[in-house]
Amino acid sequence: MNVGGDQEVLERAAAWLEAGTSVWLVTVAATWGSSPRPPGSLMALTEGGLSVGSVSGGCLEADLTQRLGKPEGTPQRLQYGVSSEEAHRFGLPCGGRVEVIAEPLQDAAAIIPALAACCERRRVYRQLDLRSGVVTWRPAERESVPLSVGEARLGKLFGPTWRLLIIGDGQLSRRVAEMAAALDYEVIICDPRVEAPEEWDCAAARLETRMPDDTVLALADDPRSAVVALTHDPKLDDMALMEALGCKAFYVGALGSRRNSAGRRERLAELGLTTRQLNRLSGPIGLPLGGRSPAEIAVSIVAELTAVKYGVSLGQRPDTLLSTHSADTHRRGVEV
């Protein structure tokens, strides 16, 4: 199961450290021009060349292994792509430049609070003194910036990966799961109807067989979670939406035609949801891309999820072709 960026790096680094292997923790501190990985990207590297994460998409990692050597001393600041020759050598596009900070670690205590914050779905701020190597921690504040780099310090915000809870297993759900996992979401598919959980075969997601409302409350009540209801079964979808529209999830969507979506809103209103809560619901789900196949509809769902995640205004959405296509495809016997 994909747990996403920082958490995966921290888990592997902690395991190496607890086994007695020292580690370089490498952070992209700054970039100029085009660069393969954004500031804040994380990588852990052992002296023996084992690594997890990425700071360049593959073009700098081999050089870092040779250049850094044994993880010891104080943090190092390294630049790549300063000259056009070096940029070409390391495969940096368009004359891009990358600055990384490599921090030697001998004790897992240096990263355990960050890992705990990721696992417990809360945020913590870690500050590294680049002269001494001393690490300090403080709770993250609302205005905390994700990355802060100075002459003598590196501050980075650690917290949970983005999580997507999909209600209902099926062909569309699995296409959405695969695309979301590729975008570093932790993906969970909830479906109490699965008869043989031990035979679950979706590598992109883990399975939950609790009832949808219980699963939403347990796993999606935070601002880095999204909930999409894709079962075509009002009993299950409505159970999930009742809780999701009242929780902290940053996005809530449900599949269905325009007519079905209107009926869903009426049912939810009768069950006590407020107009403000109902206005949070994206339904019919997805951007109006005109897709018909499960994969095409999954693209529209993940595209809308991405836009909302980054605060991109979608404006006044027209009556979506997606809802018509979803209904047409379903009538032809293809699960959507």
Side-chain angles (χ1 to χ4, degrees), residues 199-212:
E199 297 176 6
W200 178 254
D201 62 352
C202 180
R206 70 178 170 92
L207 175 67
E208 271 287 342
T209 56
R210 285 181 285 186
M211 296 305 290

Side-chain angles (χ1 to χ4, degrees), residues 249-288:
F250 77 90
Y251 175 89
V252 182
L255 185 69
S257 67
R258 189 158 59 92
R259 184 179 64 182
N260 288 341
S261 296
R264 177 187 297 118
R265 290 175 184 273
E266 291 177 4
R267 292 195 306 274
L268 293 174
E270 290 172 358
L271 291 171
L273 266 66
T274 66
T275 300
R276 182 176 181 180
Q277 289 172 325
L278 291 172
N279 285 341
R280 297 185 59 211
L281 177 61
S282 177
I285 196 172
L287 297 183

Side-chain angles (χ1 to χ4, degrees), residues 65-266:
T65 302
Q66 296 179 350
R67 189 169 175 179
L68 289 172
K70 185 176 182 179
E72 59 184 6
T74 55
Q76 298 186 32
R77 202 171 202 144
L78 308 171
Q79 284 198 358
Y80 288 91
V82 175
S83 66
S84 58
E85 292 80 11
E86 192 175 43
H88 178 74
R89 175 188 169 196
F90 293 112
L92 296 172
C94 304
R97 293 166 53 200
V98 178
E99 180 180 83
V100 302
I101 292 174
E103 174 189 357
L105 302 178
Q106 284 78 40
D107 191 335
I111 56 174
I112 287 297
L115 179 56
C118 291
C119 293
E120 296 166 9
R121 303 196 65 75
R122 55 182 176 80
R123 304 197 306 164
V124 68
Y125 201 79
R126 181 182 192 266
Q127 185 157 298
L128 170 68
D129 187 304
L130 298 178
R131 296 192 179 102
S132 66
V134 172
V135 173
T136 55
W137 303 89
R138 61 176 171 80
E141 300 168 352
R142 184 179 296 273
E143 63 273 15
S144 295
V145 296
L147 187 75
S148 176
V149 183
E151 280 291 318
R153 55 159 180 75
L154 169 68
K156 179 171 163 61
L157 183 67
F158 286 91
T161 187
W162 297 94
R163 172 180 283 175
L164 175 62
L165 174 59
I166 301 172
I167 309 300
D169 184 25
Q171 192 176 5
L172 174 58
S173 296
R174 295 192 178 210
R175 297 295 85 78
V176 172
E178 291 163 2
M179 294 178 192
L183 296 176
D184 285 336
Y185 281 85
E186 176 192 2
V187 186
I188 302 162
I189 294 179
C190 169
D191 199 325
R193 304 168 300 181
V194 174
E195 295 181 356
E198 67 279 1
E199 297 176 6
W200 178 254
D201 62 352
C202 180
R206 70 178 170 92
L207 175 67
E208 271 287 342
T209 56
R210 285 181 285 186
M211 296 305 290
D213 51 347
D214 293 333
T215 303
V216 169
L217 289 175
L219 300 178
D221 191 9
D222 68 76
R224 291 178 71 85
S225 291
V227 179
V228 296
L230 306 178
T231 71
H232 280 302
D233 183 342
K235 295 189 297 294
L236 295 178
D237 282 348
D238 290 1
M239 288 175 67
L241 296 173
M242 279 287 295
E243 300 298 345
L245 292 171
C247 78
K248 300 173 185 175
F250 77 90
Y251 175 89
V252 182
L255 185 69
S257 67
R258 189 158 59 92
R259 184 179 64 182
N260 288 341
S261 296
R264 177 187 297 118
R265 290 175 184 273
E266 291 177 4

